Amino acid sequence: MIGEPRSQLSALRVLLVGDARMAFPVAKALSQAGCRVFAGVSISSNYLEWSRHVSGSFRHSPLEPGTDEALPVILNWLDRHPVDVIQPVSEAGSRFMTRHRAAFEARGRLIMPEAETVETCMNKTAMFELCETLGVALAPYRRVRDMEGLFAAAEAIGYPLIVKPAIVDAELFDRKALIIADAAQLAVAMPHWPDIHPELIVQKYLTGPRHSVIFSADRGRLLGAVEIKAARTHEYDGTGYTTYGVTVEPTPLVREGVERLAAHLAYSSTGCAQFIVCPTTGAVTFMEVNPRVSLGRISECAGLPHSVWGLKLALGQAIEPPADPWAVYRRGVRYVWTKGDLTLLGKQIRRGQAAPSEALRRLTQIAVDAVQCSHAVFDPLDPLPALGTYGNILIKRWRRYPEYRTA
């Protein structure tokens, strides 16, 4: 890993907003760089407050529903405990800080891209149109606003296809996206138009694993990037969060797409660009750019110091870029989110979707991967959060925090 002088960052106070799994590698990297790391936590914090890399924490309402109940608590804590830098470390945290960017900017530097960049990245329709303009690999798609348009788009594009939200960050019939094999399945999966979504995207579905590129950029110039193939996810159809991933050689069309998008957006900060790569045909299609940290553990383990780079970019400190931003990481580094694997397997066993022999085979593979891979939460030198997460079913009834008092 490329080191950073500890003296440049020591004594800085950093607040992490959003207590998802991505918070752990960020807290570790910034703590080891000499920062004092603080975190707001909720009932879904994965016991982040138990981490040895977190200097202090306070409780607030969960951010996941997309509500703003936590805002007065977080702002009050910041007014009482000033910090130098604030960073969102989850999708919900990123959207939360985007909605209230001015309030957070008044209280510290933000480890986020510029507001205009974030707005563009979060608008899937705008990003698809940008891909068409820049020549970034993209499967055929249509925007639809009603059931008639949905079925017309499906007929024009052809099956299989994927239906996903275009504007509103909300689930679509309890899923992030719907993978549809034929017209009969479409009628069952979408019996009516979901009122919460003014617009949906219907796109030709490309079969293959998701490839995520974790990158850091300075005004459109890539500083470093690592490509990760998601071999397993926490959903049976390959959607959802990565539960097993491995760093791979950059895919030419993926590399080209990331470089074009970062340059056009004049991207400055850390981010995650996602593509689907068909292993048989080599076809590639763009999915999205998440303007925030993601898959931090495997990226840091592979050699990309994007947590510290993100901090230095927010502070306006110079970063000496490597000659080749794609050469900074080690290939073949493996990552696992064991709890996600076990949760999916448990659901499938209960539903009768996994025969005993198949369940045993997968359980054995999960155990082997747990021993051999880097973990989303577990760190042998910082084990308490993982112990809390796995023991939560037994200890959650005794897990009590005093509510943070704003007055």
Side-chain angles (χ1 to χ4, degrees):
M1 179 180 293
I2 300 173
E4 297 291 346
R6 184 183 178 97
S7 59
Q8 292 186 17
L9 305 176
S10 60
L12 288 175
R13 294 167 59 91
V14 181
L15 174 67
L16 304 183
V17 177
D19 44 20
R21 296 178 302 281
M22 283 75 77
F24 290 93
V26 174
K28 179 178 180 179
L30 297 185
S31 174
Q32 290 181 336
C35 301
R36 294 193 65 197
V37 180
F38 300 87
V41 299
S42 68
I43 199 65
S44 57
S45 73
N46 291 300
Y47 292 83
L48 176 61
E49 68 274 18
W50 287 11
S51 172
R52 61 190 290 263
H53 302 297
V54 174
S55 298
S57 64
F58 61 98
R59 187 180 182 186
H60 59 67
S61 302
L63 305 179
E64 286 300 336
T67 65
D68 294 328
E69 293 178 16
L71 182 63
V73 172
I74 295 176
L75 295 185
N76 182 270
W77 186 92
L78 283 168
D79 291 339
R80 291 183 176 184
H81 310 83
V83 300
D84 302 288
V85 185
I86 309 168
Q87 178 174 10
V89 286
S90 68
E91 176 73 16
S94 180
R95 292 185 177 275
F96 176 77
M97 285 184 59
T98 297
R99 292 195 299 274
H100 307 287
R101 186 169 185 129
F104 284 103
E105 284 182 326
R107 292 168 171 83
R109 300 286 188 94
L110 306 187
I111 303 180
M112 295 177 70
E114 296 296 326
E116 183 179 352
T117 303
V118 173
E119 182 179 354
T120 301
C121 290
M122 288 185 172
N123 185 327
K124 288 184 172 59
T125 301
M127 288 300 294
F128 277 25
E129 292 174 348
L130 182 57
C131 285
E132 291 178 313
T133 300
L134 299 178
V136 176
L138 183 69
Y141 77 97
R142 286 194 178 184
R143 300 159 57 184
V144 298
R145 296 180 177 85
D146 53 39
M147 294 299 290
E148 181 180 355
L150 173 71
F151 287 109
E155 183 177 351
I157 291 173
Y159 296 94
L161 53 82
I162 184 168
V163 183
K164 49 192 172 184
I167 300 173
V168 179
D169 180 37
E171 290 190 335
L172 184 60
F173 294 101
D174 299 322
R175 301 297 301 275
K176 293 185 69 174
L178 301 176
I179 298 174
I180 307 297
D182 51 40
Q185 184 182 359
L186 179 60
V188 172
M190 286 201 59
H192 58 83
W193 185 265
D195 292 336
I196 195 172
H197 290 287
E199 181 175 291
L200 297 173
I201 290 176
V202 179
Q203 187 177 29
K204 185 70 176 178
Y205 180 68
L206 190 65
T207 303
R210 181 173 63 227
H211 284 230
S212 298
V213 175
I214 313 305
F215 66 92
S216 297
D218 182 7
R219 291 163 291 183
R221 179 189 59 179
L222 278 187
L223 300 173
V226 50
E227 184 169 335
I228 302 161
K229 180 175 73 173
R232 296 196 302 266
T233 71
H234 86 300
E235 296 286 0
Y236 69 91
D237 59 3
T239 61
Y241 301 113
T242 302
T243 58
Y244 176 84
V246 58
T247 61
V248 296
E249 286 288 339
T251 305
L253 285 176
V254 170
R255 174 175 179 158
E256 180 182 278
V258 172
E259 291 174 348
R260 290 182 179 182
L261 288 168
H264 181 85
L265 293 167
Y267 200 103
S268 286
S269 194
T270 60
C272 171
Q274 295 185 330
F275 295 76
I276 295 293
V277 179
C278 179
T280 54
T281 67
V284 173
T285 185
F286 170 81
M287 290 180 62
E288 62 184 355
V289 171
N290 293 313
R292 57 174 173 81
V293 65
S294 184
L295 291 171
R297 184 76 76 185
I298 185 172
S299 303
E300 297 278 356
C301 289
L304 181 70
H306 66 130
S307 296
V308 170
W309 277 354
L311 175 60
K312 290 172 73 70
L313 287 167
L315 296 172
Q317 296 183 7
I319 299 173
E320 185 64 31
D324 180 2
W326 299 88
V328 301
Y329 72 97
R330 293 183 292 117
R331 279 59 164 169
V333 177
R334 297 186 296 157
Y335 156 94
V336 70
W337 176 33
T338 304
K339 191 170 186 289
D341 271 334
L342 291 174
T343 300
L344 174 60
L345 180 58
K347 288 180 180 178
Q348 291 180 310
I349 290 174
R350 289 192 296 273
R351 295 170 181 170
Q353 297 171 336
S357 58
E358 172 65 10
L360 180 60
R361 184 195 66 79
R362 287 172 56 187
L363 188 61
T364 301
Q365 186 63 57
I366 290 171
V368 170
D369 292 337
V371 173
Q372 297 179 343
C373 301
S374 301
H375 284 255
V377 176
F378 176 70
D379 182 338
L381 299 180
D382 187 26
L384 289 182
L387 293 176
T389 299
Y390 284 99
N392 184 59
I393 192 170
L394 299 175
I395 65 177
K396 63 182 179 181
R397 68 182 64 183
W398 295 287
R399 186 187 187 191
R400 296 287 183 269
Y401 324 87
E403 292 288 346
Y404 181 79
R405 303 294 181 185
T406 59

